[in-house]
Amino acid sequence: LVMVFYGSNGKSNPVSMENKVEHQAKNQITYDIHLPSDLGMLYKVRLGPLSLENSISQLSPRHFKIQNTSTLDTFSLTINKTLPLSLNGDRWIEFPIEWPLKEALSVVTYHLTLFSRDILSERNLVHMTACIYGTHGDTGDRSLLRSLQNVQQGQENESFLVTVDAVELGELDKVVLLISSKTDCKVDIKKLHLKEAVKEHPIYVFEVNEKFSVNANKPEIQREIPVSFVIRGDEQKNDTDNNLHKERNEIRNLTEYTIKVYTGDQRGAGTDANVHVILFGNEDKSEVFQLSRSLEHQDPFERGKVDTFKITTKKLGSLHSIEIGHDGKGF
């Protein structure tokens, strides 16, 4: 099992729960864990298996207590929830951190509807995960094909529903899809719809419209899909109608860039810091992009390595300069 901590300064890598403290009480286990950097004010924790391939029996955590051994800040939470480690369904539990005099975020069930052409026939051959990003962090990689609901098949398209429980994400801004297979197969994805289960709106629409070919030469494909537009509902229908045409035109003007970063092959050339890039063109400049998900390596920017990143941004025109930098964290 691992835990991922989210704070105002970012999130941790998966922290292994291996260092058990001796002399445990009955039905209670204490771990020493070490975070590599100051995450600021913690607001949520995710708990689950290190790998989706791990086969672990069910676990029913009842109560959590976490203490910073330096500041003695302590928070505790009663969960009483069974970690769904079966092959059917989500394999992560997220819970908010409740600080005194500060309102905690709530846990939300999200409905993700995937529209495709041929995934249902290929679902036993392909593995697919989605990581949903919002203003309050991300969900981590969640499996899409393990537990399908509301499966609908038409003449040309098909759709199915996936539920994801997560601490509320705020305004959603992108989804990162990861598609892999041990055999040759193709999946044709049209779009994704995302919304909170208890609300009809807003519905976040992510247009994909891409056929992914997975084979021995490319056993894994990753795509970052920015939100295309948001359906706000009847009370904002007029605003939505007025803006929809404009938003669709803006989406058509999006451009995908492939960024390759070559880290020098000398001592100290790599970095563990959070690296960002901004692109400047003769028409506009891009937003700040964090280069965190390399297509080649789980830990990017290592000495002598090449990392590839895909970003999608508005139309910039001819590029004339870039800004690249990092936040100085880590080694």
Side-chain angles (χ1 to χ4, degrees):
L1 288 176
V2 295
M3 301 180 84
V4 180
F5 293 82
Y6 289 76
S8 56
N9 294 337
K11 70 175 183 178
S12 72
N13 290 323
V15 178
S16 176
M17 298 173 66
E18 293 179 339
N19 300 319
K20 296 181 183 180
V21 178
E22 296 182 1
H23 309 299
Q24 299 303 317
K26 184 179 181 181
N27 294 329
Q28 176 181 314
I29 306 175
T30 302
Y31 297 90
D32 275 341
I33 59 178
H34 301 277
L35 301 182
S37 60
D38 181 11
L39 299 176
M41 177 70 79
L42 298 180
Y43 65 87
K44 82 169 180 178
V45 177
R46 192 166 76 245
L47 171 69
L50 178 62
S51 168
L52 291 173
E53 305 304 321
N54 285 1
S55 178
I56 307 174
S57 59
Q58 287 190 330
L59 175 69
S60 299
R62 298 302 180 207
H63 191 79
F64 270 93
K65 179 179 179 181
I66 298 182
Q67 182 178 62
N68 184 322
T69 56
S70 299
T71 64
L72 299 185
D73 283 338
T74 303
F75 79 87
S76 59
L77 183 70
T78 299
I79 297 181
N80 289 330
K81 186 175 181 180
T82 299
L83 193 61
L85 293 179
S86 66
L87 292 179
N88 297 317
D90 204 350
R91 309 186 79 191
W92 290 96
I93 287 179
E94 287 196 0
F95 48 91
I97 294 179
E98 300 178 347
W99 294 99
L101 306 179
K102 183 176 175 63
E103 185 177 358
L105 298 173
S106 58
V107 177
V108 173
T109 298
Y110 288 95
H111 278 177
L112 187 156
T113 304
L114 190 148
F115 298 84
S116 64
R117 187 179 294 273
D118 51 13
I119 286 184
L120 294 178
S121 60
E122 302 280 355
R123 62 181 171 180
N124 293 325
L125 302 176
V126 68
H127 180 67
M128 184 183 303
T129 65
C131 182
I132 308 166
Y133 287 79
T135 52
H136 297 157
D138 62 77
T139 61
D141 291 333
R142 305 297 186 98
S143 178
L144 295 185
L145 302 181
R146 293 183 183 273
S147 180
L148 308 184
Q149 305 174 44
N150 292 7
V151 176
Q152 299 182 19
Q153 289 185 283
Q155 290 184 342
E156 294 188 0
N157 293 314
E158 60 194 17
S159 68
F160 58 86
L161 175 68
V162 179
T163 59
V164 175
D165 289 336
V167 172
E168 61 179 294
L169 294 167
E171 287 286 322
L172 307 184
D173 54 38
K174 67 178 178 180
V175 172
V176 175
L177 291 176
L178 187 64
I179 303 167
S180 62
S181 177
K182 295 180 179 179
T183 185
D184 292 359
C185 62
K186 295 181 179 180
V187 291
D188 190 351
I189 301 177
K190 301 302 182 185
K191 61 183 176 178
L192 307 172
H193 282 188
L194 256 168
K195 73 179 190 71
E196 293 185 26
V198 297
K199 298 179 181 179
E200 290 298 321
H201 299 94
I203 301 173
Y204 294 83
V205 180
F206 299 82
E207 299 277 6
V208 183
N209 295 318
E210 185 173 352
K211 181 176 289 187
F212 300 92
S213 297
V214 187
N215 51 55
N217 295 325
K218 189 183 290 185
E220 185 175 277
I221 298 175
Q222 179 178 287
R223 284 292 183 275
E224 182 175 299
I225 316 296
V227 64
S228 301
F229 56 91
V230 183
I231 302 172
R232 296 289 180 183
D234 292 339
E235 69 279 4
Q236 300 176 12
K237 189 174 187 302
N238 290 336
D239 290 340
T240 300
D241 290 342
N242 292 335
N243 293 331
L244 193 55
H245 182 67
K246 178 182 176 182
E247 288 176 337
R248 287 185 182 276
N249 284 338
E250 290 175 351
I251 296 305
R252 291 192 190 101
N253 289 330
L254 289 179
T255 303
E256 182 181 75
Y257 291 93
T258 299
I259 300 177
K260 284 186 177 291
V261 180
Y262 297 77
T263 303
D265 191 9
Q266 56 184 319
R267 185 177 181 182
T271 183
D272 294 326
N274 298 306
V275 177
H276 76 268
V277 68
I278 306 173
L279 309 184
F280 296 85
N282 62 357
E283 296 181 18
D284 208 341
K285 73 172 184 177
S286 75
E287 58 269 49
V288 179
F289 286 97
Q290 297 292 334
L291 301 182
S292 57
R293 298 180 72 94
S294 167
L295 299 185
E296 290 90 0
H297 308 108
Q298 186 174 358
D299 187 13
F301 311 115
E302 293 294 292
R303 172 180 173 178
K305 301 293 185 181
V306 180
D307 294 285
T308 305
F309 304 88
K310 298 274 190 181
I311 67 170
T312 303
T313 186
K314 54 197 169 184
K315 188 176 179 182
L316 305 177
S318 298
L319 298 183
H320 59 72
S321 61
I322 68 170
E323 172 187 310
I324 185 166
H326 63 70
D327 59 4
K329 291 194 176 295
F331 174 70

